[in-house]
Amino acid sequence: MKTKVSEIKISYRSKVKLSETPKIKSSATAAEVLFSNWDKDEIEVSESFKLLLLNNNNRVKGIFEVSKGGITYTLVDLRIIFGVILKSLSTAVILTHNHPSGTLLPSNPDKDLTSKIKRAAELFDIKILDHLILTPGGDYYSFADNGIL
């Protein structure tokens, strides 16, 4: 008799040709892509954590919202982050979250989370290129540009 177990299927479907997606060349390019795809009605209401998923040529494969929280924080589960990165076969990632308050500087928990994600990514040969903090006014803070990645 055959033992019954659930079948697990992993898939990723691109809706856009990679050659037609933006190529990330700097934090400014990444911020532009993220701002243009962020819900303007929610950027100053609640904090969200997202992944900008990239291929080996730094072309955007997609944006994935990992979590949405309250006014001052959102919980981030590393298992979800890496499940998405691995499922999409991304080789590089830019982490991002917004600060509804408009504060540009990262908090200590922001720095700790970034460090934890970066250490885990190294085990999979995944590059964490940056972590951007976006504000409702259109400004951004880049961990990489400020030497804290």
Side-chain angles (χ1 to χ4, degrees):
M1 181 165 67
K2 188 174 179 180
T3 304
K4 293 186 180 204
V5 296
S6 297
E7 179 182 342
I8 296 173
K9 181 178 180 181
I10 297 174
S11 66
Y12 167 76
R13 288 189 185 96
S14 178
K15 295 181 180 179
V16 180
K17 287 183 182 179
L18 278 175
S19 61
E20 297 173 0
T21 65
K23 183 172 182 168
I24 303 301
K25 298 178 182 178
S26 66
S27 60
T29 308
E32 183 180 316
V33 169
L34 289 160
F35 274 121
S36 70
N37 286 279
W38 210 286
D39 185 340
K40 304 303 181 276
D41 294 333
E42 296 196 10
I43 196 165
E44 63 185 300
V45 175
S46 63
E47 190 168 306
S48 296
F49 190 96
K50 299 181 183 190
L51 304 174
L52 184 62
L53 302 159
L54 306 170
N55 74 355
N56 218 19
N57 198 24
N58 289 348
R59 290 234 177 241
V60 176
K61 294 183 87 173
I63 298 172
F64 181 82
E65 183 174 76
V66 175
S67 65
K68 181 184 272 189
I71 298 168
T72 58
Y73 71 93
T74 185
L75 295 175
V76 177
D77 189 325
L78 266 62
R79 293 164 292 198
I80 293 172
I81 288 174
F82 286 98
V84 170
I85 294 170
L86 295 170
K87 185 175 181 177
S88 66
L89 301 176
S90 298
T91 57
V93 179
I94 294 176
L95 312 171
T96 186
H97 75 283
N98 64 312
H99 280 175
S101 66
T103 303
L104 267 180
L105 295 178
S107 65
N108 285 331
D110 291 342
K111 293 175 188 176
D112 292 343
L113 176 64
T114 304
S115 177
K116 189 175 180 180
I117 293 169
K118 186 176 179 193
R119 283 192 316 271
E122 288 170 356
L123 296 172
F124 296 104
D125 291 328
I126 296 165
K127 295 175 277 193
I128 303 299
L129 300 179
D130 207 342
H131 184 161
L132 299 179
I133 297 172
L134 308 180
T135 64
D139 293 323
Y140 71 92
Y141 179 92
S142 162
F143 280 54
D145 292 353
N146 286 282
I148 60 170
L149 186 64

